[in-house]
Amino acid sequence: MDIMTVCRPGRRSWRFLGMAIVVTFLAGCFVAISNLMSVDSFQEAEAAQNILKQLKKNSILQKGKGAGVANQQEYSARETQGEQGDRKRNSSKTISKLRDDIPVRQNISSKSKFPQPFKDGAHRENENNPNLGPGGEPPDTNAEEDASSWPRPNYNLHTFYYPWYGNPEFDSTYLHWNHELLPHWNKQEAKKWPRGRWKPPGEIGANFYPQLGCYSSRDPAIIEDHMKQLRLAGIGVLSISWYPAGLADDQGKPSDDLIPTYLDTAHKHGLKVAFHSEPYKGRTAKSFLQDVRYIVDSYGAHPAFYRYNRRGRSLPVFYVYDSYLTNASSWAQVFSSDGPLTVRNSKYDGLFLGLYVEAKHKNDIIKGSFDGFYTYFASNGFTYASRWQNWKLLAEFANKRGLLFLPSVGPGYVDTRVRPWNGMNTRQRDGGNYYDRAFRAALEVKPSIITITSFNEWHEGTQIERAVPKKFNNLTYLDYGSQGPNKYLLLTQKWSKTLPGG
């Protein structure tokens, strides 16, 4: 056909030509929009710095979390009554009463005012991992605005959580944000370093600054926000730092009365709560047994109370911090099936996890009849068990003994705002690369559960909670870089999907 025939200026020809132009234009728009939608909205930036210090071998340092308690009277496993009213109205009240002054708490019913968000209960061991490895990039930073895009909670991914922070609005004073500078254990060395306390809100006992400011752990709005952050990260279980009713560490106040609120809010968001027993003064295997009875009787019926399905049984999980401070033969009285105080095959049976620090602690785990162990520390090489290269040996030891091995990963470590003399154990975050390497090392040994140190241990710089840039006088706080406050929540979300159960 002659081209002049097509272009002849007739009415019908113009109509077809116009339709063709419109169709071509619309098709071009469709292709352009499709291309835009296919662009990855989150690019994982590589930090320019590579200043990870040489690992310090065999350097053992006590955390000192349990150095003191609010009161030291013998614990008698009394149940306390839940105070479900206005937390803010009661915030100025002192709760450091003796346990004997606390009324009996009614057992929490398994019937909750919140609907069960997921059919999954406790997770199941030995699930196949369909996608081992990094597996794709994290989602857009704005993903937290749309909860429908968040991953399902991975109940095989636990994080250590601290409910010990306070501020004047809710607690009459600052708690933990004003952490004291801890002295070096060597008196001569201690003289070289400053002492005193930090003065919030400008100065806090942390090298990073929280997006939520100097919050109180008993503020319901903060608890709600934290549960949303945990959901965004794909974490399924928070292992909450726990002291018996009426007790606390020497920087805070008792917080057992907050547990019902944490359980209710966790359940609302499909999360589970385990308990991390702190080494309060006078803790023995016998007093710990009383603690277990108290926890199970008070909270065991709540749908957010975490249980782990192992060998045909669904059992609560108890992390026992500094377990090696108690003689292994004493633990065996409670954990051994033939021990005089045994919990085995009873209402109070559980999975009891000891802290593995030094190489010799494997004997404590065996003789104490623990069900497994975790490593806690986020500083690679800080202890024998926290050294990533040793995890293969620890996993082999656990597998031969039928024990659970829970390696602990973390985004980095820096505690020089509370231990100014401890710079040798600082581990730089390296733009997220340190965290990635820790997860890879953990996944290589195929654990049933991975633990994260931590969600909000700000004093040691292991938190993945949102942090923001801040300057105060001559002090500049560390932050998460150009990817913003959600960086480590989103990195955790990525790794959550690679662990069985994610």
Side-chain angles (χ1 to χ4, degrees):
M1 182 181 294
D2 193 318
I3 190 170
M4 292 303 295
T5 304
V6 176
C7 296
R8 188 173 297 150
R11 181 178 299 174
R12 186 175 181 182
S13 298
W14 283 116
R15 186 182 300 123
F16 282 117
L17 181 60
M19 291 175 64
I21 293 173
V22 170
V23 170
T24 302
F25 174 76
L26 292 175
C29 291
F30 177 78
V31 171
I33 293 172
S34 298
N35 289 336
L36 286 173
M37 292 177 67
S38 66
V39 175
D40 187 355
S41 58
F42 186 99
Q43 298 294 331
E44 188 176 357
E46 293 288 332
Q49 63 178 357
N50 185 17
I51 56 174
L52 192 64
K53 295 182 178 180
Q54 184 179 1
L55 303 182
K56 189 74 175 179
K57 296 183 177 180
N58 299 322
S59 56
I60 306 300
L61 177 67
Q62 296 295 329
K63 263 178 71 67
K65 290 194 301 181
V69 294
N71 76 62
Q72 301 172 357
Q73 299 223 356
E74 182 179 352
Y75 177 45
S76 60
R78 298 286 298 274
E79 296 181 346
T80 59
Q81 189 174 43
E83 298 177 3
Q84 299 294 329
D86 186 349
R87 298 284 181 186
K88 186 172 181 180
R89 173 168 50 83
N90 296 324
S91 63
S92 62
K93 295 182 180 179
T94 301
I95 58 175
S96 58
K97 297 180 180 180
L98 299 181
R99 294 191 185 100
D100 290 341
D101 295 332
I102 302 175
V104 175
R105 183 192 302 282
Q106 300 299 320
N107 290 349
I108 295 178
S109 171
S110 60
K111 296 180 180 179
S112 172
K113 61 183 178 180
F114 298 115
Q116 181 66 35
F118 299 99
K119 294 182 180 180
D120 301 308
H123 77 274
R124 289 163 174 76
E125 62 175 340
N126 297 328
E127 296 181 72
N128 293 324
N129 184 353
N131 188 28
L132 185 62
E137 299 299 322
D140 193 299
T141 303
N142 294 324
E144 74 276 9
E145 301 299 332
D146 180 13
S148 64
S149 68
W150 294 352
R152 292 169 60 86
N154 189 333
Y155 300 113
N156 298 331
L157 187 59
H158 300 189
T159 189
F160 297 109
Y161 182 96
Y162 295 88
W164 57 21
Y165 299 100
N167 61 28
E169 181 181 6
F170 283 85
D171 308 273
S172 301
T173 185
Y174 284 108
L175 300 173
H176 271 271
W177 302 118
N178 61 341
H179 202 291
E180 67 174 319
L181 290 164
L182 300 175
H184 194 278
W185 61 84
N186 182 292
K187 293 183 178 180
Q188 294 301 316
E189 182 67 18
K191 294 178 181 179
K192 302 177 184 178
W193 302 97
R195 295 295 306 274
R197 283 185 174 274
W198 297 108
K199 297 180 180 180
E203 298 177 344
I204 65 173
N207 296 71
F208 294 83
Y209 202 90
Q211 183 189 57
L212 295 173
C214 296
Y215 58 76
S216 170
S217 295
R218 63 179 55 251
D219 181 348
I222 294 298
I223 299 173
E224 176 78 14
D225 192 288
H226 282 178
M227 298 303 163
K228 289 181 179 179
Q229 291 189 48
L230 290 163
R231 271 299 316 275
L232 174 62
I235 294 169
V237 179
L238 57 148
S239 179
I240 196 164
S241 173
W242 186 84
Y243 287 89
L247 299 186
D249 73 300
D250 55 355
Q251 306 291 326
K253 292 182 179 180
S255 58
D256 175 70
D257 66 310
L258 301 180
I259 298 300
T261 301
Y262 275 98
L263 286 166
D264 286 345
T265 313
H267 179 61
K268 176 182 176 182
H269 294 282
L271 305 175
K272 304 292 181 182
V273 177
F275 288 79
H276 194 186
S277 173
E278 297 286 2
Y280 55 88
K281 186 174 181 178
R283 186 182 71 178
T284 63
K286 186 175 181 179
S287 72
F288 177 78
L289 174 58
Q290 294 177 321
D291 296 340
V292 169
R293 289 171 175 167
Y294 170 83
I295 290 171
V296 172
D297 288 343
S298 298
Y299 311 124
H302 196 285
F305 186 80
Y306 176 68
R307 296 177 185 272
Y308 180 85
N309 290 337
R310 189 168 193 247
R311 297 172 181 169
R313 301 186 65 194
S314 182
L315 298 171
V317 171
F318 295 92
Y319 292 86
V320 187
Y321 190 79
D322 276 358
S323 54
Y324 54 84
L325 296 179
T326 299
N327 189 280
S329 60
S330 296
W331 289 122
Q333 294 182 34
V334 177
F335 302 149
S336 175
S337 59
D338 58 357
L341 302 174
T342 186
V343 296
R344 300 308 184 186
N345 299 313
S346 75
K347 174 184 177 181
Y348 305 107
D349 200 354
L351 295 173
F352 302 98
L353 306 173
L355 178 62
Y356 198 130
V357 179
E358 301 180 61
K360 65 181 181 181
H361 289 155
K362 70 178 182 180
N363 295 323
D364 295 316
I365 299 298
I366 297 171
K367 293 179 180 178
S369 296
F370 284 90
D371 299 286
F373 54 92
Y374 65 111
T375 61
Y376 187 81
F377 296 102
S379 179
N380 182 18
F382 177 54
T383 69
Y384 171 85
S386 72
R387 188 173 294 118
W388 303 339
Q389 68 183 34
N390 291 336
W391 285 354
K392 182 178 180 181
L393 293 174
L394 294 178
E396 291 174 352
F397 158 69
N399 290 336
K400 289 179 181 178
R401 294 282 180 170
L403 301 172
L404 289 171
F405 168 45
L406 286 65
S408 301
V409 304
Y413 186 95
V414 56
D415 65 356
T416 54
R417 293 281 286 177
V418 295
R419 300 183 184 95
W421 37 266
N422 195 37
M424 66 180 180
N425 285 308
T426 295
R427 299 293 180 266
Q428 302 291 345
R429 295 195 173 210
D430 193 19
N433 291 326
Y434 182 90
Y435 199 34
D436 286 341
R437 290 197 295 273
F439 262 108
R440 290 190 184 98
L443 286 167
E444 283 179 1
V445 300
K446 298 179 174 58
S448 298
I449 298 172
I450 290 179
T451 59
I452 298 173
T453 307
S454 63
F455 177 77
N456 63 339
E457 220 294 15
W458 289 90
H459 306 310
E460 297 180 347
T462 62
Q463 80 290 333
I464 61 172
E465 183 185 353
R466 293 172 179 141
V468 291
K470 184 178 177 62
K471 293 184 179 180
F472 182 80
N473 294 334
N474 296 324
L475 171 65
T476 300
Y477 289 89
L478 301 174
D479 60 73
Y480 298 163
S482 61
Q483 295 180 27
N486 288 318
K487 178 179 178 66
Y488 289 93
L489 299 177
L490 295 176
L491 280 179
T492 305
Q493 181 189 113
K494 179 188 72 171
W495 288 107
S496 173
K497 295 175 181 178
T498 72
L499 183 66

